Amino acid sequence: MKITVNSEPTEVSGTVADLLEARIGDRRPSGIAVAVDEEIVPRDDWARWQLQDGHVVEIVTAVQGG
Amino acid sequence: MSRTLKIAGRDLSSRLFLGTGGLPHLALLPAVIDAAEPGLVTVSMRRTSSTAAGGLLETLRAAKVPILPNTAGCLSAREAVLTAELAREALETDWVKLEVIGDETSLMPDAVELVEAAEQLVRKGFTVLPYTTDDPVLARRLADAGCAAVMPLGSPIGSGLGILNPHAIEAVVAAVDVPVVLDAGVGTASDAALAMELGCSAVLAATAVTRADDPVAMARALRLAVEAGHAARGAGRIPRQAVARASSPMAGRIA
């Protein structure tokens, strides 16, 4: 299954939590937010939210900024 | 003006807000925060492939300073609203410094997209502090849309040119009932003091501190300047006049 994560084409299957574990090594990292197709996926839904082919995922955190 | 600043019903401990962008090393941030004693500290939201562990958020939480996420870099209301929603989810705050710029060269606010984004975010329950131009009409539009404060620029972001049009900043202060936070253009302490003397309720500085030769010393200088400017505003300055007026009595001179 092909999805796009932070504008990179990615092969994954499973839930948002599975994706976070693969990329970040943590199923519930703090200070992180996830959107799929421009909709926020709340933290409490990560473990059951199934990714589907073609989804566009954004994973963001806070960085230094004015 | 009261000594403490209240925005959207929340008491803030200081009238100086600190932007964290531009510091050469994150390790400097705790000392900068200690020196600035900021009421709010801004951060940006960016794509990541790791947690921020051991990084920025831990530093800010250890300093016990309230975090104000911004939507820096957003070019449309749609991007800004999504960024604000991501920030709310990641940082568990519904406060947002709303930035919608018109292009990446001038970094000037896009007034049309800004008002649209502000209206949407207010409807979604955010406490919105928009970065705006020094236009009193736009400031009033933003306040009418339900923004909790307005943040006019003194001069372009990162320019350090200070307050190019002090009359416009005074006009913004007069135009709205919400706090006015001078946002961009501060280069040194006198700029921050002037903002407060003009009636601003607070000053946000980022580059002025983070790119100073000595960020910690400049953080302290801006804190003192904001305090001095606020005190001077409360004290009521003398009117300017074009002729001299002696303060010593003329009577009783020896000549």
mmCIF file of all heavy atoms in Angstrom, chain B residues 38-75:
data_model
loop_
_atom_site.group_PDB
_atom_site.id
_atom_site.type_symbol
_atom_site.label_atom_id
_atom_site.label_comp_id
_atom_site.label_asym_id
_atom_site.label_seq_id
_atom_site.Cartn_x
_atom_site.Cartn_y
_atom_site.Cartn_z
ATOM 1 N N PRO B 38 10.076 35.672 29.780
ATOM 2 C CA PRO B 38 8.977 35.974 28.859
ATOM 3 C C PRO B 38 7.626 35.474 29.349
ATOM 4 O O PRO B 38 7.545 34.466 30.067
ATOM 5 C CB PRO B 38 9.386 35.233 27.576
ATOM 6 C CG PRO B 38 10.196 34.082 28.067
ATOM 7 C CD PRO B 38 10.932 34.585 29.277
ATOM 8 N N GLY B 39 6.576 36.181 28.948
ATOM 9 C CA GLY B 39 5.206 35.766 29.276
ATOM 10 C C GLY B 39 4.733 34.627 28.398
ATOM 11 O O GLY B 39 3.890 33.831 28.796
ATOM 12 N N LEU B 40 5.260 34.560 27.182
ATOM 13 C CA LEU B 40 4.948 33.499 26.223
ATOM 14 C C LEU B 40 6.204 33.243 25.398
ATOM 15 O O LEU B 40 6.996 34.160 25.191
ATOM 16 C CB LEU B 40 3.823 33.916 25.262
ATOM 17 C CG LEU B 40 2.406 34.051 25.795
ATOM 18 C CD1 LEU B 40 1.527 34.758 24.756
ATOM 19 C CD2 LEU B 40 1.808 32.690 26.119
ATOM 20 N N VAL B 41 6.344 32.020 24.921
ATOM 21 C CA VAL B 41 7.459 31.692 24.027
ATOM 22 C C VAL B 41 6.891 31.015 22.781
ATOM 23 O O VAL B 41 6.104 30.075 22.893
ATOM 24 C CB VAL B 41 8.473 30.766 24.725
ATOM 25 C CG1 VAL B 41 9.509 30.264 23.736
ATOM 26 C CG2 VAL B 41 9.156 31.488 25.871
ATOM 27 N N THR B 42 7.274 31.519 21.608
ATOM 28 C CA THR B 42 6.708 30.959 20.388
ATOM 29 C C THR B 42 7.562 29.818 19.834
ATOM 30 O O THR B 42 8.782 29.779 20.016
ATOM 31 C CB THR B 42 6.558 32.018 19.274
ATOM 32 O OG1 THR B 42 7.840 32.452 18.844
ATOM 33 C CG2 THR B 42 5.732 33.194 19.745
ATOM 34 N N VAL B 43 6.865 28.906 19.152
ATOM 35 C CA VAL B 43 7.509 27.831 18.404
ATOM 36 C C VAL B 43 6.788 27.705 17.063
ATOM 37 O O VAL B 43 5.685 28.212 16.896
ATOM 38 C CB VAL B 43 7.431 26.470 19.142
ATOM 39 C CG1 VAL B 43 8.170 26.529 20.470
ATOM 40 C CG2 VAL B 43 5.988 26.034 19.332
ATOM 41 N N SER B 44 7.435 27.044 16.121
ATOM 42 C CA SER B 44 6.815 26.755 14.826
ATOM 43 C C SER B 44 6.537 25.260 14.727
ATOM 44 O O SER B 44 7.118 24.468 15.458
ATOM 45 C CB SER B 44 7.750 27.175 13.687
ATOM 46 O OG SER B 44 7.979 28.560 13.721
ATOM 47 N N MET B 45 5.650 24.901 13.798
ATOM 48 C CA MET B 45 5.327 23.491 13.574
ATOM 49 C C MET B 45 5.938 23.049 12.249
ATOM 50 O O MET B 45 5.717 23.691 11.218
ATOM 51 C CB MET B 45 3.802 23.288 13.535
ATOM 52 C CG MET B 45 3.063 23.787 14.765
ATOM 53 S SD MET B 45 3.693 23.121 16.336
ATOM 54 C CE MET B 45 3.348 21.364 16.136
ATOM 55 N N ARG B 46 6.710 21.965 12.295
ATOM 56 C CA ARG B 46 7.353 21.478 11.081
ATOM 57 C C ARG B 46 7.304 19.962 11.021
ATOM 58 O O ARG B 46 7.230 19.293 12.058
ATOM 59 C CB ARG B 46 8.814 21.946 11.030
ATOM 60 C CG ARG B 46 8.994 23.433 10.790
ATOM 61 C CD ARG B 46 8.533 23.868 9.404
ATOM 62 N NE ARG B 46 8.691 25.298 9.169
ATOM 63 C CZ ARG B 46 7.759 26.241 9.390
ATOM 64 N NH1 ARG B 46 6.578 25.879 9.865
ATOM 65 N NH2 ARG B 46 7.997 27.508 9.143
ATOM 66 N N ARG B 47 7.399 19.438 9.797
ATOM 67 C CA ARG B 47 7.448 18.000 9.586
ATOM 68 C C ARG B 47 8.632 17.395 10.337
ATOM 69 O O ARG B 47 9.684 18.029 10.445
ATOM 70 C CB ARG B 47 7.588 17.705 8.103
ATOM 71 C CG ARG B 47 6.330 17.997 7.317
ATOM 72 C CD ARG B 47 6.600 17.979 5.839
ATOM 73 N NE ARG B 47 5.343 18.003 5.086
ATOM 74 C CZ ARG B 47 5.280 18.194 3.770
ATOM 75 N NH1 ARG B 47 6.393 18.371 3.083
ATOM 76 N NH2 ARG B 47 4.109 18.204 3.158
ATOM 77 N N THR B 48 8.430 16.174 10.824
ATOM 78 C CA THR B 48 9.493 15.534 11.594
ATOM 79 C C THR B 48 9.550 14.045 11.305
ATOM 80 O O THR B 48 8.541 13.439 10.940
ATOM 81 C CB THR B 48 9.287 15.741 13.101
ATOM 82 O OG1 THR B 48 10.396 15.172 13.797
ATOM 83 C CG2 THR B 48 8.008 15.068 13.590
ATOM 84 N N SER B 49 10.727 13.482 11.472
ATOM 85 C CA SER B 49 10.847 12.021 11.409
ATOM 86 C C SER B 49 11.399 11.496 12.726
ATOM 87 O O SER B 49 11.895 10.387 12.810
ATOM 88 C CB SER B 49 11.752 11.612 10.247
ATOM 89 O OG SER B 49 12.993 12.256 10.377
ATOM 90 N N SER B 50 11.340 12.339 13.753
ATOM 91 C CA SER B 50 11.780 11.879 15.076
ATOM 92 C C SER B 50 10.971 12.637 16.119
ATOM 93 O O SER B 50 10.299 13.609 15.805
ATOM 94 C CB SER B 50 13.265 12.158 15.277
ATOM 95 O OG SER B 50 13.484 13.553 15.266
ATOM 96 N N THR B 51 11.056 12.209 17.352
ATOM 97 C CA THR B 51 10.425 12.977 18.411
ATOM 98 C C THR B 51 11.328 14.158 18.732
ATOM 99 O O THR B 51 12.494 14.187 18.364
ATOM 100 C CB THR B 51 10.247 12.158 19.702
ATOM 101 O OG1 THR B 51 11.537 11.741 20.119
ATOM 102 C CG2 THR B 51 9.363 10.966 19.491
ATOM 103 N N ALA B 52 10.772 15.115 19.438
ATOM 104 C CA ALA B 52 11.578 16.252 19.861
ATOM 105 C C ALA B 52 12.229 15.957 21.215
ATOM 106 O O ALA B 52 12.564 16.857 21.954
ATOM 107 C CB ALA B 52 10.711 17.496 19.928
ATOM 108 N N ALA B 53 12.415 14.676 21.507
ATOM 109 C CA ALA B 53 12.931 14.281 22.821
ATOM 110 C C ALA B 53 14.280 14.932 23.102
ATOM 111 O O ALA B 53 15.129 15.018 22.231
ATOM 112 C CB ALA B 53 13.074 12.766 22.886
ATOM 113 N N GLY B 54 14.454 15.377 24.324
ATOM 114 C CA GLY B 54 15.706 16.030 24.686
ATOM 115 C C GLY B 54 15.875 17.374 24.033
ATOM 116 O O GLY B 54 16.938 17.975 24.072
ATOM 117 N N GLY B 55 14.817 17.852 23.410
ATOM 118 C CA GLY B 55 14.936 19.050 22.604
ATOM 119 C C GLY B 55 14.115 20.205 23.106
ATOM 120 O O GLY B 55 14.022 20.461 24.305
ATOM 121 N N LEU B 56 13.524 20.865 22.155
ATOM 122 C CA LEU B 56 12.880 22.148 22.408
ATOM 123 C C LEU B 56 11.757 22.062 23.441
ATOM 124 O O LEU B 56 11.722 22.847 24.388
ATOM 125 C CB LEU B 56 12.339 22.663 21.072
ATOM 126 C CG LEU B 56 11.605 23.991 21.103
ATOM 127 C CD1 LEU B 56 12.531 25.102 21.572
ATOM 128 C CD2 LEU B 56 11.055 24.300 19.721
ATOM 129 N N LEU B 57 10.845 21.109 23.255
ATOM 130 C CA LEU B 57 9.681 21.075 24.144
ATOM 131 C C LEU B 57 10.092 20.769 25.575
ATOM 132 O O LEU B 57 9.552 21.349 26.523
ATOM 133 C CB LEU B 57 8.663 20.052 23.645
ATOM 134 C CG LEU B 57 7.948 20.465 22.356
ATOM 135 C CD1 LEU B 57 7.007 19.361 21.889
ATOM 136 C CD2 LEU B 57 7.183 21.769 22.553
ATOM 137 N N GLU B 58 11.065 19.873 25.729
ATOM 138 C CA GLU B 58 11.543 19.561 27.081
ATOM 139 C C GLU B 58 12.145 20.807 27.718
ATOM 140 O O GLU B 58 11.926 21.090 28.900
ATOM 141 C CB GLU B 58 12.571 18.430 27.030
ATOM 142 C CG GLU B 58 11.987 17.040 26.800
ATOM 143 C CD GLU B 58 11.362 16.868 25.421
ATOM 144 O OE1 GLU B 58 11.708 17.637 24.506
ATOM 145 O OE2 GLU B 58 10.506 15.983 25.277
ATOM 146 N N THR B 59 12.907 21.558 26.931
ATOM 147 C CA THR B 59 13.517 22.785 27.438
ATOM 148 C C THR B 59 12.447 23.782 27.886
ATOM 149 O O THR B 59 12.544 24.381 28.964
ATOM 150 C CB THR B 59 14.394 23.426 26.340
ATOM 151 O OG1 THR B 59 15.414 22.498 25.984
ATOM 152 C CG2 THR B 59 15.029 24.713 26.817
ATOM 153 N N LEU B 60 11.422 23.939 27.058
ATOM 154 C CA LEU B 60 10.374 24.920 27.391
ATOM 155 C C LEU B 60 9.552 24.458 28.588
ATOM 156 O O LEU B 60 9.171 25.267 29.434
ATOM 157 C CB LEU B 60 9.475 25.144 26.171
ATOM 158 C CG LEU B 60 10.173 25.786 24.966
ATOM 159 C CD1 LEU B 60 9.203 25.931 23.803
ATOM 160 C CD2 LEU B 60 10.758 27.153 25.339
ATOM 161 N N ARG B 61 9.294 23.162 28.639
ATOM 162 C CA ARG B 61 8.506 22.666 29.781
ATOM 163 C C ARG B 61 9.295 22.782 31.074
ATOM 164 O O ARG B 61 8.737 23.117 32.119
ATOM 165 C CB ARG B 61 8.052 21.227 29.519
ATOM 166 C CG ARG B 61 6.880 21.196 28.536
ATOM 167 C CD ARG B 61 6.518 19.816 28.070
ATOM 168 N NE ARG B 61 5.435 19.900 27.086
ATOM 169 C CZ ARG B 61 5.229 19.015 26.122
ATOM 170 N NH1 ARG B 61 6.010 17.964 26.002
ATOM 171 N NH2 ARG B 61 4.225 19.172 25.278
ATOM 172 N N ALA B 62 10.600 22.548 30.984
ATOM 173 C CA ALA B 62 11.441 22.689 32.175
ATOM 174 C C ALA B 62 11.465 24.137 32.653
ATOM 175 O O ALA B 62 11.541 24.402 33.856
ATOM 176 C CB ALA B 62 12.861 22.210 31.868
ATOM 177 N N ALA B 63 11.381 25.071 31.708
ATOM 178 C CA ALA B 63 11.396 26.490 32.068
ATOM 179 C C ALA B 63 10.025 26.967 32.541
ATOM 180 O O ALA B 63 9.885 28.125 32.964
ATOM 181 C CB ALA B 63 11.850 27.322 30.870
ATOM 182 N N LYS B 64 9.022 26.091 32.429
ATOM 183 C CA LYS B 64 7.656 26.405 32.862
ATOM 184 C C LYS B 64 7.118 27.690 32.210
ATOM 185 O O LYS B 64 6.493 28.523 32.864
ATOM 186 C CB LYS B 64 7.590 26.525 34.385
ATOM 187 C CG LYS B 64 7.871 25.215 35.113
ATOM 188 C CD LYS B 64 7.626 25.348 36.604
ATOM 189 C CE LYS B 64 7.551 24.028 37.326
ATOM 190 N NZ LYS B 64 8.636 23.092 37.023
ATOM 191 N N VAL B 65 7.409 27.851 30.938
ATOM 192 C CA VAL B 65 6.944 29.038 30.237
ATOM 193 C C VAL B 65 5.846 28.617 29.258
ATOM 194 O O VAL B 65 5.953 27.576 28.610
ATOM 195 C CB VAL B 65 8.124 29.740 29.518
ATOM 196 C CG1 VAL B 65 8.763 28.850 28.482
ATOM 197 C CG2 VAL B 65 7.693 31.046 28.898
ATOM 198 N N PRO B 66 4.748 29.400 29.199
ATOM 199 C CA PRO B 66 3.660 29.023 28.288
ATOM 200 C C PRO B 66 4.122 29.074 26.828
ATOM 201 O O PRO B 66 4.823 29.998 26.420
ATOM 202 C CB PRO B 66 2.585 30.081 28.547
ATOM 203 C CG PRO B 66 2.936 30.728 29.832
ATOM 204 C CD PRO B 66 4.419 30.609 29.979
ATOM 205 N N ILE B 67 3.702 28.069 26.055
ATOM 206 C CA ILE B 67 4.111 27.952 24.655
ATOM 207 C C ILE B 67 3.020 28.520 23.748
ATOM 208 O O ILE B 67 1.841 28.218 23.921
ATOM 209 C CB ILE B 67 4.382 26.477 24.295
ATOM 210 C CG1 ILE B 67 5.513 25.917 25.169
ATOM 211 C CG2 ILE B 67 4.714 26.332 22.815
ATOM 212 C CD1 ILE B 67 5.733 24.427 25.006
ATOM 213 N N LEU B 68 3.441 29.353 22.807
ATOM 214 C CA LEU B 68 2.535 29.908 21.803
ATOM 215 C C LEU B 68 2.979 29.413 20.432
ATOM 216 O O LEU B 68 3.946 29.932 19.871
ATOM 217 C CB LEU B 68 2.574 31.445 21.855
ATOM 218 C CG LEU B 68 1.731 32.179 20.815
ATOM 219 C CD1 LEU B 68 0.244 31.918 21.022
ATOM 220 C CD2 LEU B 68 2.016 33.686 20.866
ATOM 221 N N PRO B 69 2.307 28.406 19.882
ATOM 222 C CA PRO B 69 2.693 27.947 18.545
ATOM 223 C C PRO B 69 2.302 28.974 17.492
ATOM 224 O O PRO B 69 1.281 29.649 17.632
ATOM 225 C CB PRO B 69 1.899 26.649 18.363
ATOM 226 C CG PRO B 69 0.770 26.737 19.315
ATOM 227 C CD PRO B 69 1.202 27.615 20.456
ATOM 228 N N ASN B 70 3.105 29.074 16.445
ATOM 229 C CA ASN B 70 2.752 29.978 15.350
ATOM 230 C C ASN B 70 2.479 29.186 14.073
ATOM 231 O O ASN B 70 2.687 27.979 14.017
ATOM 232 C CB ASN B 70 3.840 31.040 15.146
ATOM 233 C CG ASN B 70 5.145 30.484 14.608
ATOM 234 O OD1 ASN B 70 5.171 29.469 13.926
ATOM 235 N ND2 ASN B 70 6.248 31.167 14.911
ATOM 236 N N THR B 71 1.989 29.912 13.086
ATOM 237 C CA THR B 71 1.741 29.285 11.780
ATOM 238 C C THR B 71 2.698 29.875 10.744
ATOM 239 O O THR B 71 2.330 30.088 9.594
ATOM 240 C CB THR B 71 0.274 29.464 11.338
ATOM 241 O OG1 THR B 71 0.004 30.865 11.159
ATOM 242 C CG2 THR B 71 -0.694 28.903 12.357
ATOM 243 N N ALA B 72 3.915 30.145 11.181
ATOM 244 C CA ALA B 72 4.905 30.790 10.308
ATOM 245 C C ALA B 72 5.103 29.992 9.034
ATOM 246 O O ALA B 72 5.175 28.758 9.064
ATOM 247 C CB ALA B 72 6.234 30.920 11.043
ATOM 248 N N GLY B 73 5.202 30.712 7.936
ATOM 249 C CA GLY B 73 5.453 30.079 6.646
ATOM 250 C C GLY B 73 4.198 29.740 5.874
ATOM 251 O O GLY B 73 4.278 29.387 4.701
ATOM 252 N N CYS B 74 3.020 29.837 6.526
ATOM 253 C CA CYS B 74 1.786 29.507 5.820
ATOM 254 C C CYS B 74 1.409 30.629 4.856
ATOM 255 O O CYS B 74 1.468 31.809 5.195
ATOM 256 C CB CYS B 74 0.651 29.263 6.811
ATOM 257 S SG CYS B 74 0.879 27.750 7.765
ATOM 258 N N LEU B 75 0.992 30.219 3.654
ATOM 259 C CA LEU B 75 0.684 31.183 2.597
ATOM 260 C C LEU B 75 -0.807 31.276 2.310
ATOM 261 O O LEU B 75 -1.234 32.061 1.462
ATOM 262 C CB LEU B 75 1.432 30.797 1.310
ATOM 263 C CG LEU B 75 2.946 31.043 1.360
ATOM 264 C CD1 LEU B 75 3.684 30.138 0.377
ATOM 265 C CD2 LEU B 75 3.259 32.507 1.054
#
